[in-house]
Amino acid sequence: MIWLVAEREIGSKLRSKAFLISTGVLLLIVLAGIVIGGFASKNAAAETMPVAVTSETASVVSALPNVEATEVADAGAAEELLRSEKVEAAVVPGEGPTGLTVIALKDAPSGLVSALSQTPQIEILEPATTNPLLRYFIAIAFGIVFMGAAATFGGTIAQSVVEEKQTRVVEILLSTISSRTLLAGKVIGNTILAMGQILAIAAIATIGLTATGQSEVLATLGAPIVWFAVFFLFGFILLASMFAAAASMVSRQEDIGSTTTPITMLIMAPYVLVIVFNDNPLVLTIMSYVPFSAPVGMPMRLFVGEAQWWEPLLSLVILLASCVAAIAIGAKIYENSLLRMGSRVKLGEALRG
């Protein structure tokens, strides 16, 4: 009977053109973002400055990033290439602290000058393990996917519960199956849909990163994506139980927000925190052990290499325990509130029955 309810939830969603279109648009946005980002990084890496050098300066200039050195016989030959605009600058022997002279046609190449300038030795006490910009975008990606999927399918469960109460269909359903069976079917059906969307996004991301030659990023993201899917599975079951329980306490669609808003805030909090504090180890560590934010916090820590091997396992145990508690409490509220029509059922009354 549980599977019949789950099939009903899945079928009604898959027959919805709005759901299919929105899912397709989401996947296209993910693919476009990865492809555009990949080509942009390639173009940035491909933009090199052609520079004329002599045998005395070739070794110094060739070691600089984003510089294409063309060796010539002397300073005169370098000037000829410069005037014919075949190179953007020339580096020849000269006087001064560096022993080099930079020749340009009109404007001084500030990037080349800075690279050739004498700089003090730099010592980094806490070197960054990942590119800060990449870290920021990965944080946004994890946050948006978690918030979007949880809010979308959690809202679907809430609307379905209230619709059945409002139309009195629930009374017919409960004459055949128990309330706990109905709740389990709704949670399982929407969990399958949510996980399907997550796996589709992961597949699209893998294809996009492979097609754009971002194999290093893909290799770094492999384990965090797998853990994100695992944590999201149990995290969504926890949230789905809460959404169903909260929705069962009201009898009209207009009143859904009054009971589900706190849960929605719990979904939005990890999204905001992971973006604002993606470079704060303490905040990420706390997030990785709080059940509502663990699906975002722990994969992020794994991506930046700040988590020990045992930490995901411990966090998962805490999430599973929280999931069991949420299901037990949610089932009690759902069972005691489902047939109560009219005004909103207070939480204390729903728990007491």
Side-chain angles (χ1 to χ4, degrees):
M1 294 302 292
I2 293 177
W3 181 243
L4 289 176
V5 178
E7 282 185 332
R8 175 174 171 270
E9 292 290 321
I10 296 171
S12 63
K13 210 58 171 160
L14 293 179
R15 287 191 296 270
S16 170
K17 291 183 178 180
F19 171 74
L20 296 176
I21 292 173
S22 62
T23 300
V25 170
L26 174 62
L27 295 178
L28 286 176
I29 291 174
V30 171
L31 182 60
I34 292 172
V35 171
I36 292 172
F39 284 127
S41 61
K42 279 188 175 181
N43 291 335
E47 291 179 0
T48 57
M49 175 186 291
V51 178
V53 297
T54 64
S55 58
E56 296 87 349
T57 63
S59 59
V60 176
V61 177
S62 299
L64 300 177
N66 299 326
V67 171
E68 181 183 356
T70 301
E71 188 171 343
V72 294
D74 50 31
E79 289 186 15
E80 288 182 9
L81 287 181
L82 192 60
R83 294 183 185 280
S84 62
E85 298 186 354
K86 292 182 179 179
V87 294
E88 296 182 15
V91 180
V92 298
E95 299 178 356
T98 62
L100 303 172
T101 296
V102 178
I103 306 173
L105 191 60
K106 294 180 181 179
D107 301 318
S110 57
L112 180 62
V113 172
S114 299
L116 291 170
S117 299
Q118 288 184 330
T119 57
Q121 182 178 354
I122 299 174
E123 182 179 350
I124 307 297
L125 296 179
E126 297 181 2
T129 55
T130 55
N131 182 300
L133 185 60
L134 177 62
R135 179 175 182 149
Y136 179 73
F137 283 119
I138 295 300
I140 292 178
F142 279 141
I144 287 179
V145 171
F146 172 76
M147 183 181 68
T152 298
F153 292 100
T156 298
I157 292 175
Q159 291 176 1
S160 174
V161 170
V162 176
E163 182 181 353
E164 290 173 355
K165 285 189 67 174
Q166 198 168 14
T167 58
R168 303 276 183 172
V169 171
V170 68
E171 297 176 6
I172 301 174
L173 292 173
L174 292 182
S175 65
T176 308
I177 59 177
S178 68
S179 59
R180 291 178 180 265
T181 300
L182 182 60
L183 174 62
K186 286 183 177 297
V187 170
I188 291 173
N190 283 277
T191 300
I192 291 173
L193 288 169
M195 285 303 300
Q197 195 172 83
I198 295 296
L199 294 176
I201 291 174
I204 288 293
T206 302
I207 293 171
L209 290 171
T210 304
T212 55
Q214 301 181 73
S215 55
E216 292 183 4
V217 177
L218 180 60
T220 308
L221 271 175
I225 288 178
V226 172
W227 277 108
F228 175 77
V230 173
F231 274 93
F232 180 85
L233 170 63
F234 297 105
F236 180 77
I237 292 175
L238 183 152
L239 292 169
S241 303
M242 296 177 64
F243 267 109
S248 68
M249 297 165 65
V250 297
S251 303
R252 299 187 307 166
Q253 295 284 350
E254 300 83 26
D255 299 330
I256 291 178
S258 63
T259 56
T260 59
T261 296
I263 307 172
T264 304
M265 297 301 293
L266 288 175
I267 293 172
M268 293 181 63
Y271 166 72
V272 175
L273 290 173
V274 78
I275 293 176
V276 177
F277 298 103
N278 69 86
D279 57 349
N280 189 313
L282 176 60
V283 175
L284 285 180
T285 300
I286 295 172
M287 287 180 62
S288 65
Y289 288 104
V290 176
F292 301 107
S293 58
V296 176
M298 186 56 75
M300 193 64 203
R301 290 186 65 214
L302 289 168
F303 171 70
V304 299
E306 294 176 356
Q308 299 296 322
W309 66 267
W310 51 267
E311 291 191 76
L313 300 176
L314 176 59
S315 179
L316 187 59
V317 170
I318 295 173
L319 178 57
L320 287 171
S322 303
C323 189
V324 172
I327 291 173
I329 296 172
K332 188 175 183 62
I333 295 173
Y334 184 81
E335 187 176 22
N336 294 336
S337 305
L338 201 55
L339 290 177
R340 298 183 65 173
M341 305 297 175
S343 61
R344 171 184 167 182
V345 181
K346 294 182 180 180
L347 180 60
E349 295 176 359
L351 288 171
R352 287 194 304 269

